[in-house]
Amino acid sequence: RASVELVEAEVSELETRLEKLLKLGNGLLESGRHYLAASRAFIVGICDLAHLGPPEPMMAECLDKFTQSLSHKLDSHAELLDATQHTLQRQIQTLVKEGLRSFREAGRDFWRGAESLEAALIHNAEVPRRRAQEAEEAGAALKVARAGYRGRALDYALQINVIEDKRKFDIMEFVLRLVEAQATHFQQGHEELSQLAQYRKELGGQLHQLVLNSAREKRDMEQRHVLLKQKELGGEEPEPSLREGPGGLVMEGHLFKRASNAFKTWSRRWFTIQSNQLVYQKRYKDPVTVVVDDLRLCTVKLCPDSERRFCFEVVSPSKSCLLQADSERLMQLWVSAVQSSIATAFSQARLDDSPRGPGQGSGHLAISSSATLGPGGLTRGREPGGVGHVAAQVQSVDGNAQCCDCREPAPEWASINLGVTLCIQCSGIHRSLGVHFSKVRSLTLDSWEPELVKLMCELGNVVINQIYEARVEAMAVKKPGPSCSRQEKEAWIHAKYVEKKFLTKLPEIRGRRGGRGPPRGHPPNSLLACEFLLQNGANVNQVDNRGRGPLHHATILGHTGLRLAKMKEADAAQGQAGSSAFSSLSVSYILLKISPPPVPSSPPSFGGPVTLNVGGTLYSTTLETLTRFPDSMLGAMFRAGTPMTPNLNPQGGGHYFIDRDGKAFRHILNFLRLGRLDLPLGYGETALLRAEADFYQIRPLLDALRELEASRGTPAPTAALLHADVDSSPRLVHFSARRGPHHYELSSVQVDTFRANLFCTDPECLGALRARFGVTNEDRAEGGPHFHLEWAPRPTELPEVEYRRLGLQPLWTGAPGEPREVVGTPSFLEEVLRVALEHGFRLDSVFPDPEDLLNSRSLRFVRH
């Protein structure tokens, strides 16, 4: 029995270890399947790299071959896991479930037989001598029990021998099958990778060469980087994007836009000119907001009197939009771009409505359907024959086939005031000099007027270089070539045109063609000479001793049409009196022959009635009255050819609608009828009337208002600053509330405490703020321009007695008969905003969120 117990202990330990092996095997199989899933996902990620960016055949082939090989290896790994699982189930699991189960059953039978034998022996020993029959029966039972015990012992011994044998060959067979599966797996992997041995060797050589090439490129880039850092890099602002699209001119870039609400906040937005519209958006994927739906109904003007720099205004019949650029140059570019788009829109409408016939080319401007922006300003038309004709005609002049400054062939740019052709690099340098030195225009992209083409053909590189490079040989200076660096070309151009180092003294160049005087060989009334003078900054408002300017003399001599339009255009470029209605002004000058239209002294004759809806107020007048001043906004809106249509909305009544102040328009209409400013006695809205007159651009009315204000002695508001800060902090207050005669209850409530600091340099506005918030004593206010307030609104849960005991007090505002409690930051800032706007302040900044005004903590107002 001791041997049996020892064998049982060994079998029990064997069973424990086999069960542990099964658990470890199942964990191995589960981990292997996770590894396969992660490896397949990893291979898919490698495959995705082949489809990123432009196609690379070498990289695609490499990734394809290697991922296929790795996929085959993973398939072999999956087969290894299946073989391992099958071996575990067939050998180990069968041994545990079947072999050990038979051993356990035989053991239980053996020990039951042993117990029966033990009981029979005890019973046989207990029978007394006098009971012979009972002793005989006990002896028979003992023989039967002993026989059963021996049989069961033989069966148990058999199972012990069987389990000992199965333990040997089943475990060894399991290990053998497992090793064979591993060997098959690694052999397949070796064969799979051996097929790529030659390819891997070739790829290694190619990668080595790529690494060498990359190292060379990196070294070259580092050298170029060092050279660039050694040069003087300017901080020029980026140019706005400008191109020609299918819908016409497309220009885009960032501008600051002033809001049209009462707060006048500024926001930076991305503006675009396209499809005859001015639109903007906050972010790239945000919806587009249309500022001007039709550029033909608007004009653009500079705002030198604005509180900010670099501002210009786009004015339409329904509204106006004040915009700000980042610099003076960008502002001029945007203004010129809007003007170009307006001219392009009118030109396209003209071409669409009345197509030109073969015989209409003589004596008329051919205006193209698209225009581009150049530093010289607004372009009005394109010569018949297209862009290629202009470029070929200009480049055919002697010396124009190469750049004037570096001799690079086939130049595609030109300086219209110098009359020379330039390459693209030299044209950029010319742009940096400023338009007072050189006005650059593209020969292939920009629109060209016939007079400019004639001027370019009359001058040319040879003629201009005889002037600007007259002393180059004598000074032994080397002119840069096409391969020279930009720095060398920039130094040459600056010395040539800005410093004028190579010019000969004035007496030696008199009479030469191509100087700063008009080209030789043209009569005094030559349109080409007029064009040359205009391009070089001639003053079109210069008058003689009789007070007559160039427009008067041109009209008297009969030189009308394009010359008057060109003079008006130059006048607009100089910022003197330009507007989009310059062509109508020229026609008016032609009709009157001598001088601009004077202010009429009597009402005009009535024609067909026109009904206007101005801010909800209806006015009836005539076209003669509305177009009394053709250069005004009203003149541009109602002149012939302007696509101004009535409001077809049933609420609009079919009338022309203008979204401006209706009451003020009454005085504007009377000025157009009578020719003089006739205001009621004690009229106090001159500021509003001046703003409306500025919107309609009626300059005689603006002059009359200035004279009226000067005669009244209206003091101009002084510059001032107003700053308001508000801070809030919660405070937990504990108090005892009486609930009965002898019943008190301890409670708590949160009280919000507010602290406000105000600073204002205008004593009148500071006094208005003190009066608005009821500050009469000095315990809540500081002296000087500072102003301090503290208040805490009483919660409904806090008794009045406890509120006063804590020293808290509310803040009231409003009229004495209608007080209002200031309960938080929004209501306080609203009152400050009202007082600031009443005293002429404008909101300058909001902190922390400019989009959420009343929930902010700090406001800054300015008054210029």
Side-chain angles (χ1 to χ4, degrees), residues 5 309 438 462 472 542 616 632 684 713 716 746 779-780 854 860:
E5 291 179 357
R309 301 176 300 160
S438 182
V462 174
V472 169
Q542 184 68 36
S632 66
L746 183 61
D779 57 345
R780 293 174 57 178
L854 294 181
R860 183 176 183 268

Short mmCIF file of all heavy atoms in Angstrom, two decimals, residues 5 309 438 462 472 542 616 632 684 713 716 746 779-780 854 860:
data_model
loop_
_atom_site.label_atom_id
_atom_site.label_comp_id
_atom_site.label_asym_id
_atom_site.label_seq_id
_atom_site.Cartn_x
_atom_site.Cartn_y
_atom_site.Cartn_z
N GLU A 5 0.37 4.31 -2.56
CA GLU A 5 0.24 5.72 -2.18
C GLU A 5 1.30 6.59 -2.83
O GLU A 5 1.03 7.74 -3.22
CB GLU A 5 0.32 5.82 -0.66
CG GLU A 5 -0.89 5.22 0.05
CD GLU A 5 -0.77 5.33 1.55
OE1 GLU A 5 0.30 5.81 2.01
OE2 GLU A 5 -1.71 4.96 2.26
N ARG A 309 -4.64 103.72 -39.21
CA ARG A 309 -3.88 103.92 -40.44
C ARG A 309 -4.29 102.91 -41.50
O ARG A 309 -4.90 101.90 -41.22
CB ARG A 309 -2.39 103.80 -40.17
CG ARG A 309 -1.83 104.77 -39.14
CD ARG A 309 -0.36 104.48 -38.90
NE ARG A 309 -0.16 103.13 -38.41
CZ ARG A 309 1.00 102.47 -38.46
NH1 ARG A 309 2.04 103.05 -39.02
NH2 ARG A 309 1.11 101.25 -37.97
N SER A 438 9.39 103.90 -60.38
CA SER A 438 9.10 102.99 -61.48
C SER A 438 7.74 102.35 -61.28
O SER A 438 7.42 101.87 -60.19
CB SER A 438 10.19 101.90 -61.57
OG SER A 438 9.96 101.03 -62.65
N VAL A 462 17.07 101.18 -75.47
CA VAL A 462 18.25 101.86 -76.03
C VAL A 462 18.20 103.35 -75.70
O VAL A 462 19.19 103.95 -75.26
CB VAL A 462 18.32 101.62 -77.55
CG1 VAL A 462 19.46 102.44 -78.16
CG2 VAL A 462 18.51 100.14 -77.86
N VAL A 472 28.55 105.18 -67.75
CA VAL A 472 28.97 103.86 -67.26
C VAL A 472 30.37 103.54 -67.73
O VAL A 472 31.24 103.10 -66.96
CB VAL A 472 27.96 102.79 -67.71
CG1 VAL A 472 28.52 101.40 -67.44
CG2 VAL A 472 26.65 102.97 -66.97
N GLN A 542 -2.54 121.72 -62.19
CA GLN A 542 -1.77 122.95 -62.38
C GLN A 542 -2.59 123.96 -63.19
O GLN A 542 -3.18 123.61 -64.23
CB GLN A 542 -0.46 122.65 -63.10
CG GLN A 542 0.47 123.83 -63.27
CD GLN A 542 1.03 124.29 -61.93
OE1 GLN A 542 1.29 123.48 -61.07
NE2 GLN A 542 1.20 125.60 -61.79
N GLY A 616 -36.90 103.82 -45.49
CA GLY A 616 -38.33 103.73 -45.18
C GLY A 616 -39.10 104.99 -45.50
O GLY A 616 -40.34 104.99 -45.40
N SER A 632 -20.68 112.32 -57.87
CA SER A 632 -21.16 111.86 -56.58
C SER A 632 -21.66 110.42 -56.68
O SER A 632 -21.77 109.85 -57.78
CB SER A 632 -22.29 112.77 -56.09
OG SER A 632 -23.43 112.65 -56.94
N GLY A 684 -29.64 120.60 -35.22
CA GLY A 684 -28.54 120.06 -34.41
C GLY A 684 -27.98 118.74 -34.87
O GLY A 684 -27.30 118.06 -34.09
N GLY A 713 -18.68 127.93 -35.03
CA GLY A 713 -17.63 127.72 -34.03
C GLY A 713 -17.79 126.42 -33.27
O GLY A 713 -17.59 126.36 -32.07
N ALA A 716 -14.12 121.12 -31.89
CA ALA A 716 -13.78 119.75 -32.28
C ALA A 716 -13.52 118.92 -31.02
O ALA A 716 -12.92 119.41 -30.06
CB ALA A 716 -12.55 119.73 -33.17
N LEU A 746 -28.82 77.82 11.28
CA LEU A 746 -27.58 78.30 10.66
C LEU A 746 -27.64 78.02 9.15
O LEU A 746 -27.84 76.88 8.73
CB LEU A 746 -26.36 77.61 11.26
CG LEU A 746 -25.00 78.08 10.75
CD1 LEU A 746 -24.79 79.56 11.06
CD2 LEU A 746 -23.89 77.23 11.34
N ASP A 779 -15.69 108.27 -0.75
CA ASP A 779 -15.25 107.00 -0.20
C ASP A 779 -15.26 105.90 -1.24
O ASP A 779 -14.66 104.85 -1.05
CB ASP A 779 -16.14 106.61 0.98
CG ASP A 779 -17.61 106.55 0.58
OD1 ASP A 779 -17.93 107.10 -0.52
OD2 ASP A 779 -18.41 106.00 1.34
N ARG A 780 -15.96 106.11 -2.37
CA ARG A 780 -16.00 105.08 -3.40
C ARG A 780 -15.35 105.57 -4.69
O ARG A 780 -15.48 104.95 -5.72
CB ARG A 780 -17.45 104.69 -3.70
CG ARG A 780 -18.12 104.00 -2.55
CD ARG A 780 -19.58 103.75 -2.81
NE ARG A 780 -19.78 102.97 -4.01
CZ ARG A 780 -20.99 102.58 -4.45
NH1 ARG A 780 -22.06 102.88 -3.77
NH2 ARG A 780 -21.09 101.88 -5.55
N LEU A 854 -20.20 91.75 -23.86
CA LEU A 854 -20.76 92.00 -22.54
C LEU A 854 -20.30 90.99 -21.50
O LEU A 854 -20.49 91.20 -20.31
CB LEU A 854 -22.29 92.00 -22.63
CG LEU A 854 -22.89 93.15 -23.45
CD1 LEU A 854 -24.39 93.08 -23.46
CD2 LEU A 854 -22.42 94.51 -22.93
N ARG A 860 -11.68 98.93 -23.74
CA ARG A 860 -10.84 100.12 -23.97
C ARG A 860 -11.48 100.95 -25.07
O ARG A 860 -11.76 100.44 -26.17
CB ARG A 860 -9.43 99.70 -24.36
CG ARG A 860 -8.46 100.87 -24.55
CD ARG A 860 -7.07 100.36 -24.85
NE ARG A 860 -6.09 101.43 -24.96
CZ ARG A 860 -5.77 102.03 -26.11
NH1 ARG A 860 -6.36 101.63 -27.23
NH2 ARG A 860 -4.87 102.99 -26.15
#
